[in-house]
PDB file of all heavy atoms in Angstrom:
ATOM      1  N   ASN A 298       7.820  -0.734   2.839  1.00 92.00           N
ATOM      2  CA  ASN A 298       7.786  -1.628   3.994  1.00 92.00           C
ATOM      3  C   ASN A 298       8.144  -3.059   3.591  1.00 92.00           C
ATOM      4  O   ASN A 298       8.871  -3.750   4.315  1.00 92.00           O
ATOM      5  CB  ASN A 298       6.400  -1.556   4.628  1.00 92.00           C
ATOM      6  CG  ASN A 298       6.289  -2.392   5.868  1.00 92.00           C
ATOM      7  OD1 ASN A 298       5.856  -3.515   5.832  1.00 92.00           O
ATOM      8  ND2 ASN A 298       6.690  -1.805   7.004  1.00 92.00           N
ATOM      9  N   ALA A 299       7.638  -3.507   2.443  1.00 91.00           N
ATOM     10  CA  ALA A 299       7.959  -4.868   1.975  1.00 91.00           C
ATOM     11  C   ALA A 299       9.432  -5.029   1.705  1.00 91.00           C
ATOM     12  O   ALA A 299      10.017  -6.063   2.030  1.00 91.00           O
ATOM     13  CB  ALA A 299       7.113  -5.186   0.731  1.00 91.00           C
ATOM     14  N   GLU A 300      10.068  -4.014   1.118  1.00 92.00           N
ATOM     15  CA  GLU A 300      11.495  -4.094   0.821  1.00 92.00           C
ATOM     16  C   GLU A 300      12.316  -4.147   2.110  1.00 92.00           C
ATOM     17  O   GLU A 300      13.280  -4.888   2.218  1.00 92.00           O
ATOM     18  CB  GLU A 300      11.944  -2.905  -0.052  1.00 92.00           C
ATOM     19  CG  GLU A 300      11.438  -2.958  -1.456  1.00 92.00           C
ATOM     20  CD  GLU A 300      11.813  -4.219  -2.188  1.00 92.00           C
ATOM     21  OE1 GLU A 300      12.987  -4.656  -2.083  1.00 92.00           O
ATOM     22  OE2 GLU A 300      10.961  -4.793  -2.881  1.00 92.00           O
ATOM     23  N   VAL A 301      11.952  -3.317   3.098  1.00 92.00           N
ATOM     24  CA  VAL A 301      12.680  -3.314   4.360  1.00 92.00           C
ATOM     25  C   VAL A 301      12.524  -4.666   5.064  1.00 92.00           C
ATOM     26  O   VAL A 301      13.499  -5.208   5.585  1.00 92.00           O
ATOM     27  CB  VAL A 301      12.201  -2.139   5.249  1.00 92.00           C
ATOM     28  CG1 VAL A 301      12.738  -2.267   6.655  1.00 92.00           C
ATOM     29  CG2 VAL A 301      12.593  -0.805   4.633  1.00 92.00           C
ATOM     30  N   LEU A 302      11.309  -5.205   5.089  1.00 89.00           N
ATOM     31  CA  LEU A 302      11.103  -6.501   5.717  1.00 89.00           C
ATOM     32  C   LEU A 302      11.879  -7.599   4.994  1.00 89.00           C
ATOM     33  O   LEU A 302      12.448  -8.493   5.684  1.00 89.00           O
ATOM     34  CB  LEU A 302       9.598  -6.848   5.755  1.00 89.00           C
ATOM     35  CG  LEU A 302       8.824  -6.140   6.844  1.00 89.00           C
ATOM     36  CD1 LEU A 302       7.363  -6.502   6.727  1.00 89.00           C
ATOM     37  CD2 LEU A 302       9.368  -6.454   8.219  1.00 89.00           C
ATOM     38  N   ARG A 303      11.945  -7.554   3.675  1.00 88.00           N
ATOM     39  CA  ARG A 303      12.721  -8.538   2.928  1.00 88.00           C
ATOM     40  C   ARG A 303      14.191  -8.473   3.331  1.00 88.00           C
ATOM     41  O   ARG A 303      14.830  -9.495   3.535  1.00 88.00           O
ATOM     42  CB  ARG A 303      12.566  -8.304   1.428  1.00 88.00           C
ATOM     43  CG  ARG A 303      13.301  -9.335   0.580  1.00 88.00           C
ATOM     44  CD  ARG A 303      13.099  -9.095  -0.902  1.00 88.00           C
ATOM     45  NE  ARG A 303      11.681  -9.091  -1.204  1.00 88.00           N
ATOM     46  CZ  ARG A 303      11.135  -8.430  -2.207  1.00 88.00           C
ATOM     47  NH1 ARG A 303      11.860  -7.720  -3.010  1.00 88.00           N
ATOM     48  NH2 ARG A 303       9.853  -8.474  -2.417  1.00 88.00           N
ATOM     49  N   PHE A 304      14.696  -7.252   3.497  1.00 91.00           N
ATOM     50  CA  PHE A 304      16.108  -7.074   3.914  1.00 91.00           C
ATOM     51  C   PHE A 304      16.316  -7.576   5.342  1.00 91.00           C
ATOM     52  O   PHE A 304      17.270  -8.310   5.622  1.00 91.00           O
ATOM     53  CB  PHE A 304      16.501  -5.600   3.808  1.00 91.00           C
ATOM     54  CG  PHE A 304      17.847  -5.277   4.338  1.00 91.00           C
ATOM     55  CD1 PHE A 304      18.977  -5.686   3.658  1.00 91.00           C
ATOM     56  CD2 PHE A 304      17.983  -4.547   5.498  1.00 91.00           C
ATOM     57  CE1 PHE A 304      20.245  -5.404   4.137  1.00 91.00           C
ATOM     58  CE2 PHE A 304      19.249  -4.228   5.982  1.00 91.00           C
ATOM     59  CZ  PHE A 304      20.372  -4.683   5.295  1.00 91.00           C
ATOM     60  N   LEU A 305      15.403  -7.247   6.235  1.00 87.00           N
ATOM     61  CA  LEU A 305      15.557  -7.657   7.632  1.00 87.00           C
ATOM     62  C   LEU A 305      15.452  -9.162   7.808  1.00 87.00           C
ATOM     63  O   LEU A 305      16.111  -9.757   8.678  1.00 87.00           O
ATOM     64  CB  LEU A 305      14.529  -6.982   8.500  1.00 87.00           C
ATOM     65  CG  LEU A 305      14.720  -5.473   8.744  1.00 87.00           C
ATOM     66  CD1 LEU A 305      13.567  -4.920   9.568  1.00 87.00           C
ATOM     67  CD2 LEU A 305      16.067  -5.195   9.370  1.00 87.00           C
ATOM     68  N   ARG A 306      14.656  -9.811   6.974  1.00 85.00           N
ATOM     69  CA  ARG A 306      14.523 -11.265   7.052  1.00 85.00           C
ATOM     70  C   ARG A 306      15.830 -12.012   6.803  1.00 85.00           C
ATOM     71  O   ARG A 306      15.997 -13.129   7.264  1.00 85.00           O
ATOM     72  CB  ARG A 306      13.469 -11.755   6.100  1.00 85.00           C
ATOM     73  CG  ARG A 306      12.089 -11.494   6.550  1.00 85.00           C
ATOM     74  CD  ARG A 306      11.082 -12.115   5.621  1.00 85.00           C
ATOM     75  NE  ARG A 306       9.789 -11.494   5.878  1.00 85.00           N
ATOM     76  CZ  ARG A 306       8.997 -11.007   4.940  1.00 85.00           C
ATOM     77  NH1 ARG A 306       9.376 -11.098   3.676  1.00 85.00           N
ATOM     78  NH2 ARG A 306       7.855 -10.479   5.267  1.00 85.00           N
ATOM     79  N   LEU A 307      16.697 -11.382   6.032  1.00 85.00           N
ATOM     80  CA  LEU A 307      17.987 -12.010   5.759  1.00 85.00           C
ATOM     81  C   LEU A 307      18.803 -12.253   7.046  1.00 85.00           C
ATOM     82  O   LEU A 307      19.622 -13.140   7.135  1.00 85.00           O
ATOM     83  CB  LEU A 307      18.841 -11.162   4.809  1.00 85.00           C
ATOM     84  CG  LEU A 307      18.277 -10.982   3.392  1.00 85.00           C
ATOM     85  CD1 LEU A 307      19.114  -9.995   2.624  1.00 85.00           C
ATOM     86  CD2 LEU A 307      18.197 -12.331   2.670  1.00 85.00           C
ATOM     87  N   PHE A 308      18.514 -11.408   8.056  1.00 84.00           N
ATOM     88  CA  PHE A 308      19.290 -11.490   9.307  1.00 84.00           C
ATOM     89  C   PHE A 308      18.421 -11.824  10.499  1.00 84.00           C
ATOM     90  O   PHE A 308      18.898 -11.822  11.616  1.00 84.00           O
ATOM     91  CB  PHE A 308      19.968 -10.161   9.536  1.00 84.00           C
ATOM     92  CG  PHE A 308      20.793  -9.698   8.365  1.00 84.00           C
ATOM     93  CD1 PHE A 308      20.315  -8.698   7.494  1.00 84.00           C
ATOM     94  CD2 PHE A 308      22.003 -10.322   8.085  1.00 84.00           C
ATOM     95  CE1 PHE A 308      21.059  -8.323   6.403  1.00 84.00           C
ATOM     96  CE2 PHE A 308      22.749  -9.928   6.982  1.00 84.00           C
ATOM     97  CZ  PHE A 308      22.295  -8.944   6.134  1.00 84.00           C
ATOM     98  N   ASP A 309      17.147 -12.112  10.265  1.00 80.00           N
ATOM     99  CA  ASP A 309      16.227 -12.394  11.382  1.00 80.00           C
ATOM    100  C   ASP A 309      16.171 -13.873  11.650  1.00 80.00           C
ATOM    101  O   ASP A 309      15.161 -14.536  11.558  1.00 80.00           O
ATOM    102  CB  ASP A 309      14.836 -11.876  11.013  1.00 80.00           C
ATOM    103  CG  ASP A 309      13.927 -11.781  12.248  1.00 80.00           C
ATOM    104  OD1 ASP A 309      14.441 -11.931  13.383  1.00 80.00           O
ATOM    105  OD2 ASP A 309      12.717 -11.634  12.062  1.00 80.00           O
ATOM    106  N   HIS A 310      17.317 -14.427  12.010  1.00 75.00           N
ATOM    107  CA  HIS A 310      17.366 -15.809  12.445  1.00 75.00           C
ATOM    108  C   HIS A 310      18.501 -15.943  13.444  1.00 75.00           C
ATOM    109  O   HIS A 310      19.254 -14.981  13.681  1.00 75.00           O
ATOM    110  CB  HIS A 310      17.538 -16.784  11.254  1.00 75.00           C
ATOM    111  CG  HIS A 310      18.629 -16.439  10.324  1.00 75.00           C
ATOM    112  ND1 HIS A 310      19.924 -16.851  10.532  1.00 75.00           N
ATOM    113  CD2 HIS A 310      18.603 -15.727   9.159  1.00 75.00           C
ATOM    114  CE1 HIS A 310      20.668 -16.377   9.517  1.00 75.00           C
ATOM    115  NE2 HIS A 310      19.900 -15.701   8.686  1.00 75.00           N
ATOM    116  N   GLU A 311      18.638 -17.091  14.021  1.00 80.00           N
ATOM    117  CA  GLU A 311      19.544 -17.260  15.163  1.00 80.00           C
ATOM    118  C   GLU A 311      21.016 -17.013  14.848  1.00 80.00           C
ATOM    119  O   GLU A 311      21.751 -16.475  15.639  1.00 80.00           O
ATOM    120  CB  GLU A 311      19.367 -18.660  15.743  1.00 80.00           C
ATOM    121  CG  GLU A 311      19.932 -18.760  17.141  1.00 80.00           C
ATOM    122  CD  GLU A 311      19.464 -20.007  17.831  1.00 80.00           C
ATOM    123  OE1 GLU A 311      18.265 -20.289  17.818  1.00 80.00           O
ATOM    124  OE2 GLU A 311      20.354 -20.716  18.374  1.00 80.00           O
ATOM    125  N   ASP A 312      21.461 -17.411  13.650  1.00 81.00           N
ATOM    126  CA  ASP A 312      22.887 -17.323  13.352  1.00 81.00           C
ATOM    127  C   ASP A 312      23.089 -16.688  11.985  1.00 81.00           C
ATOM    128  O   ASP A 312      23.466 -17.353  11.025  1.00 81.00           O
ATOM    129  CB  ASP A 312      23.496 -18.727  13.417  1.00 81.00           C
ATOM    130  CG  ASP A 312      25.018 -18.696  13.346  1.00 81.00           C
ATOM    131  OD1 ASP A 312      25.605 -17.656  13.702  1.00 81.00           O
ATOM    132  OD2 ASP A 312      25.617 -19.716  12.934  1.00 81.00           O
ATOM    133  N   PRO A 313      22.892 -15.341  11.869  1.00 81.00           N
ATOM    134  CA  PRO A 313      23.074 -14.711  10.560  1.00 81.00           C
ATOM    135  C   PRO A 313      24.584 -14.697  10.200  1.00 81.00           C
ATOM    136  O   PRO A 313      25.442 -14.625  11.050  1.00 81.00           O
ATOM    137  CB  PRO A 313      22.558 -13.296  10.776  1.00 81.00           C
ATOM    138  CG  PRO A 313      22.651 -13.076  12.223  1.00 81.00           C
ATOM    139  CD  PRO A 313      22.492 -14.392  12.884  1.00 81.00           C
ATOM    140  N   ASP A 314      24.849 -14.741   8.910  1.00 84.00           N
ATOM    141  CA  ASP A 314      26.229 -14.733   8.410  1.00 84.00           C
ATOM    142  C   ASP A 314      26.698 -13.278   8.208  1.00 84.00           C
ATOM    143  O   ASP A 314      26.190 -12.593   7.322  1.00 84.00           O
ATOM    144  CB  ASP A 314      26.291 -15.496   7.095  1.00 84.00           C
ATOM    145  CG  ASP A 314      27.705 -15.621   6.563  1.00 84.00           C
ATOM    146  OD1 ASP A 314      28.652 -15.119   7.206  1.00 84.00           O
ATOM    147  OD2 ASP A 314      27.864 -16.217   5.467  1.00 84.00           O
ATOM    148  N   PRO A 315      27.649 -12.809   9.019  1.00 86.00           N
ATOM    149  CA  PRO A 315      28.091 -11.419   8.865  1.00 86.00           C
ATOM    150  C   PRO A 315      28.759 -11.161   7.508  1.00 86.00           C
ATOM    151  O   PRO A 315      28.787 -10.002   7.026  1.00 86.00           O
ATOM    152  CB  PRO A 315      29.098 -11.225   9.997  1.00 86.00           C
ATOM    153  CG  PRO A 315      29.237 -12.512  10.691  1.00 86.00           C
ATOM    154  CD  PRO A 315      28.278 -13.484  10.082  1.00 86.00           C
TER     155      PRO A 315
END
Side-chain angles (χ1 to χ4, degrees):
N298 184 265
E300 291 302 317
V301 169
L302 282 177
R303 182 179 303 153
F304 175 69
L305 290 177
R306 283 187 198 131
L307 296 173
F308 307 103
D309 195 13
H310 51 85
E311 197 167 312
D312 190 24
D314 184 1

